């Protein structure tokens, strides 16, 4: 598992679907924010019918949450108006920060990228997996792998584990590859997206403020 190139694995899946004439499969894409989703959507909408699932209980402040979710919807509307690729739908999950604080309890002092983050990954991906099974999507995945600060290996391991547990299909990814992260910055500028300087939770916000 140590040396898996998840982007190459994704390329192989897409090539196989294309060869078999099976493009347009339904994908539930968990999204953390509009900037991170910008490249993922630009790339994936050529091959999948995407529904974006915006579920982020880690965002502790409601004002911040609302700002991010509205930017997500604005970007999706702009992409759909372009008329390129498959149309994109969106589902806004429940805003339940108390659930994040439950799983973060005892891990408040972990540095970003540690065990608290892994628990947060699992919480968001589990909710996405449950919706995937309920609504019978063909695949599920997350935009989180686009960030250089996120552990793509751990995210894919959690995704595969949930897929096996629920008998659904995880779409492997490492969206930062192929200059994906660079492209997300370009698209954020192009669409004038609100681009926050911390992941979302109060702990990452405090950590970032200490660095400045």
């Amino acid at each position: 598992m140590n040396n898996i190139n998840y982007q190459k694995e994704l390329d192989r899946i897409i090539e196989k679907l294309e060869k078999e004439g099976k493009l347009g499969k339904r994908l539930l894409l968990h999204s953390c924010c509009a900037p991170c989703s910008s490249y993922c959507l630009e790339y994936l909408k050529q091959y999948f019918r995407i529904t974006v699932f915006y579920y982020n209980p880690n965002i502790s402040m409601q004002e911040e949450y609302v700002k991010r979710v509205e930017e997500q919807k604005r970007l999706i509307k702009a992409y759909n108006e372009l008329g390129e690729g498959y149309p994109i739908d969106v589902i806004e999950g429940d805003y339940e920060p108390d659930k994040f604080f439950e799983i973060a309890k005892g891990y408040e002092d972990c540095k970003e990228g540690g065990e608290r983050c892994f628990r947060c990954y699992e919480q968001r991906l589990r909710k996405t997996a449950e919706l995937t099974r309920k609504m019978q999507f063909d695949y599920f995945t997350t935009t989180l792998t686009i960030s250089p600060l996120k552990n793509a290996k751990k995210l894919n391991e959690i995704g595969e584990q949930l897929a096996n547990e629920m008998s659904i299909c995880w779409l492997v990814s490492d969206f930062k590859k192929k200059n994906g992260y660079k492209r997300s910055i370009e698209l954020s500028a192009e669409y004038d997206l609100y681009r926050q300087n911390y992941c979302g939770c109060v702990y990452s916000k405090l950590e970032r403020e200490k660095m400045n």
Side-chain angles (χ1 to χ4, degrees):
M1 289 294 288
N2 289 335
N3 299 312
I4 293 175
N5 186 319
Y6 294 106
Q7 179 58 52
K8 284 188 177 178
E9 290 294 313
L10 176 55
D11 287 341
R12 279 194 275 270
I13 291 168
I14 290 171
E15 285 168 14
K16 186 172 186 289
L17 290 173
E18 200 162 15
K19 189 175 181 181
E20 294 174 354
K22 293 181 179 178
L23 293 181
K25 293 280 189 179
R26 296 172 66 238
L27 169 65
L28 187 63
L29 175 67
H30 166 264
S31 178
C32 55
C33 62
C36 285
S37 74
S38 59
Y39 165 73
C40 303
L41 291 172
E42 180 185 65
Y43 169 46
L44 293 172
K45 69 189 175 81
Q46 305 170 72
Y47 311 111
F48 299 94
R49 296 184 187 276
I50 303 167
T51 296
V52 169
F53 181 45
Y54 188 88
Y55 177 70
N56 298 291
N58 59 310
I59 302 175
S60 318
M61 292 143 288
Q62 190 162 15
E63 182 182 354
E64 179 74 14
Y65 176 89
V66 170
K67 198 170 186 178
R68 293 193 194 192
V69 77
E70 289 307 315
E71 284 293 87
Q72 181 70 80
K73 291 174 181 177
R74 182 170 72 85
L75 177 65
I76 290 169
K77 184 173 183 289
Y79 274 175
N80 283 336
E81 286 172 352
L82 286 175
E84 299 170 357
Y86 294 102
I88 303 164
D89 292 322
V90 61
I91 296 172
E92 182 181 350
D94 295 329
Y95 177 53
E96 40 194 18
D98 288 349
K99 292 199 173 180
F100 167 74
F101 286 118
E102 285 174 18
I103 63 102
K105 191 173 181 179
Y107 298 88
E108 294 90 345
D109 295 329
C110 287
K111 287 192 174 182
E112 188 170 357
E115 185 61 32
R116 186 187 65 244
C117 291
F118 296 165
R119 292 169 70 84
C120 182
Y121 297 168
E122 201 274 344
Q123 182 178 54
R124 289 186 277 176
L125 288 179
R126 179 169 290 279
K127 196 79 164 183
T128 309
E130 289 169 352
L131 189 59
T132 298
R133 182 174 60 181
K134 180 181 178 183
M135 297 185 68
Q136 299 184 322
F137 283 90
D138 297 301
Y139 295 96
F140 76 108
T141 196
T142 179
T143 62
L144 288 168
T145 65
I146 198 167
S147 170
L149 299 175
K150 299 293 184 292
N151 187 322
K153 179 176 181 290
K154 189 69 176 179
L155 284 160
N156 280 286
E157 286 175 356
I158 292 169
E160 292 283 10
Q161 179 185 336
L162 291 168
N164 291 334
E165 180 184 322
M166 299 189 197
S167 299
I168 53 180
C169 290
W170 167 253
L171 191 69
V172 297
S173 74
D174 191 354
F175 292 120
K176 70 179 72 66
K177 302 290 188 182
K178 288 187 169 180
N179 288 318
Y181 179 67
K182 180 174 178 288
R183 180 61 179 152
S184 75
I185 294 172
E186 294 169 353
L187 288 165
S188 294
E190 183 179 333
Y191 288 92
D192 193 25
L193 297 175
Y194 165 61
R195 193 176 184 92
Q196 63 286 344
N197 66 350
Y198 68 101
C199 177
C201 76
V202 65
Y203 310 114
S204 65
K205 186 173 188 290
L206 289 170
E207 191 172 328
R208 190 54 56 94
E209 286 171 353
K210 286 177 185 176
M211 293 168 61
N212 295 335

